[in-house]
Amino acid sequence: MTESVSLIDVTKLYRLSLLRRKIGVEGLSLSAESGQILGVLGPNGSGKSTTFKLLLGFLRPTSGNILVRGEPLSTATRRHIGYLPENPRFPGFIFADQALKYYGHLHGLSGAVLDKKCAELLELVGLKHAAHERVRGFSKGMGQRLAIAQSLLNDPSLLIFDEPMSGLDPVGRIEVRDLIRKVHERFPQATILLSTHILSDAENLCSHIALLRKGKLVRHGAMTEVLKSPAQNFQVVIRGVSAEARPKWEKEWGAIDGPMGLQLRVHGVKDLERCLHLAQDEGDEVVDVSSEKVSLERALFQETAEVTP
């Protein structure tokens, strides 16, 4: 796979006064490959918004380089970027398809090509029925879906979604989350950068994550690696344990009843080997052995020490 976007040793300093400066991001090196959904996460003030503004060209870095599709960020490369702001706004008096056509004209689309593109995107985001409804009557979720459609007009290779689930009720969150999956399926080569404070959504959607703290990158990697338990703990399920032997399992591994049998929490590889040997000696059936993972919320807390677990 090729890198769709790269930040190389990027620093952004905000000048507060003649002598005072504030760090937006510092020495940030981060990349994402085509097809990845990268969650850019961190507490408030960690540099997420600064990072997105730098990628969009809204801010210029104090130092460092930004590459999109292997080329320096420029007006030409920004044409390959789709953007969903945290709080998208459309004029309330226009219709949904008019809104898309307006932005389509900005991308250089027109005529039958634009009409077809707008119809396809409205169907993709589930707003085909509302194509000729005024935006002022849209719910928060409908407005968010229209904004996602707008971000796709230029068939982008890089999508930046800033807090796409912000302010939505549980049903709206699920709808937008499912829509992002659908967008990923429709544009499998596009890279999606996603920021969210709802860590369960990031855990469900993202293939990779980048954790920021005070403008610096503290963790970057595949979601599966980030969620691995650092102590190599395991969940073991066994069946056929006799009433006489059960207290031993409970004392040693805190065994509890589960849907498939007795569930044990085993600490480390050596302890796992001892547990499996004992089950074999006792004639018990080992139903399942799985590596325990930590939640994304716990991983973020461990890395930043600023988020309540």
Side-chain angles (χ1 to χ4, degrees):
M1 280 190 160
T2 58
E3 289 184 353
S4 176
V5 58
S6 299
L7 294 93
I8 306 167
D9 199 23
V10 171
T11 293
K12 175 60 183 178
L13 301 177
Y14 296 100
R15 186 183 293 276
L16 302 180
S17 65
L18 185 62
L19 299 177
R20 293 179 60 216
R21 291 186 175 186
K22 176 185 175 182
I23 295 173
V25 294
E26 183 178 11
L28 180 60
S29 292
L30 177 65
S31 63
E33 295 180 348
S34 298
Q36 286 184 0
I37 302 180
L38 174 66
V40 182
L41 310 175
N44 290 330
S46 61
K48 302 186 300 295
S49 294
T50 297
T51 300
F52 284 174
K53 289 175 182 177
L54 288 166
L55 287 169
L56 291 162
F58 298 163
L59 296 173
R60 292 190 177 186
T62 305
S63 62
N65 297 297
I66 299 174
L67 304 179
V68 175
R69 294 168 44 133
E71 299 179 5
L73 187 65
S74 65
T75 302
T77 56
R78 284 200 297 271
R79 290 174 182 155
H80 302 292
I81 300 175
Y83 176 48
L84 170 69
E86 181 176 357
N87 294 301
R89 293 288 186 270
F90 297 97
F93 62 87
I94 64 174
F95 302 118
D97 64 341
Q98 288 178 326
L100 288 189
K101 287 177 182 178
Y102 171 77
Y103 286 102
H105 284 304
L106 295 180
H107 285 297
L109 302 174
S110 62
V113 172
L114 178 57
D115 291 342
K116 181 180 178 183
K117 174 71 72 173
C118 291
E120 289 175 349
L121 291 177
L122 286 171
E123 184 170 7
L124 175 68
V125 301
L127 291 177
K128 183 179 179 180
H129 67 284
H132 302 297
E133 292 182 16
R134 296 192 189 277
V135 174
R136 69 164 60 98
F138 279 17
S139 66
K140 169 74 173 177
M142 292 173 70
Q144 206 76 341
R145 283 185 275 152
L146 180 60
I148 290 175
Q150 173 273 134
S151 73
L152 300 172
L153 280 163
N154 58 329
D155 295 326
S157 61
L158 173 63
L159 281 161
I160 297 177
F161 289 165
D162 191 2
E163 297 286 347
M165 276 72 82
S166 177
L168 297 176
D169 60 28
V171 173
R173 270 182 52 213
I174 292 171
E175 289 178 346
V176 171
R177 194 171 65 198
D178 290 344
L179 178 55
I180 293 173
R181 287 198 188 96
K182 190 186 294 186
V183 168
H184 187 236
E185 292 171 0
R186 176 74 175 270
F187 300 89
Q189 297 304 313
T191 301
I192 300 176
L193 302 190
L194 166 76
S195 73
T196 178
H197 287 294
I198 305 169
L199 299 184
S200 59
D201 288 335
E203 192 170 342
N204 282 323
L205 283 171
C206 300
S207 60
H208 293 70
I209 64 167
L211 302 184
L212 303 181
R213 181 188 180 191
K214 296 180 179 178
K216 294 184 178 181
L217 183 68
V218 296
R219 187 74 180 269
H220 179 215
M223 181 70 76
T224 52
E225 293 299 316
V226 172
L227 298 184
K228 275 186 179 178
S229 173
Q232 278 193 299
N233 294 330
F234 299 90
Q235 295 282 351
V236 178
V237 180
I238 59 175
R239 274 201 299 245
V241 177
S242 65
E244 296 78 13
R246 183 182 174 112
K248 177 170 56 178
W249 291 104
E250 291 176 343
K251 181 180 179 180
E252 191 76 23
W253 290 291
I256 59 172
D257 288 314
M260 295 191 299
L262 209 58
Q263 294 181 347
L264 319 175
R265 190 168 187 264
V266 180
H267 305 281
V269 175
K270 289 184 179 180
D271 200 29
L272 175 63
E273 291 175 352
R274 188 166 65 88
C275 174
L276 296 179
H277 283 310
L278 180 59
Q280 185 178 26
D281 293 341
E282 295 285 341
D284 301 326
E285 178 187 2
V286 178
V287 178
D288 183 63
V289 178
S290 58
S291 179
E292 188 179 84
K293 71 174 185 177
V294 296
S295 69
L296 182 57
E297 189 174 12
R298 172 63 65 179
L300 181 59
F301 172 74
Q302 291 170 343
E303 294 290 350
T304 65
E306 292 185 13
V307 177
T308 302

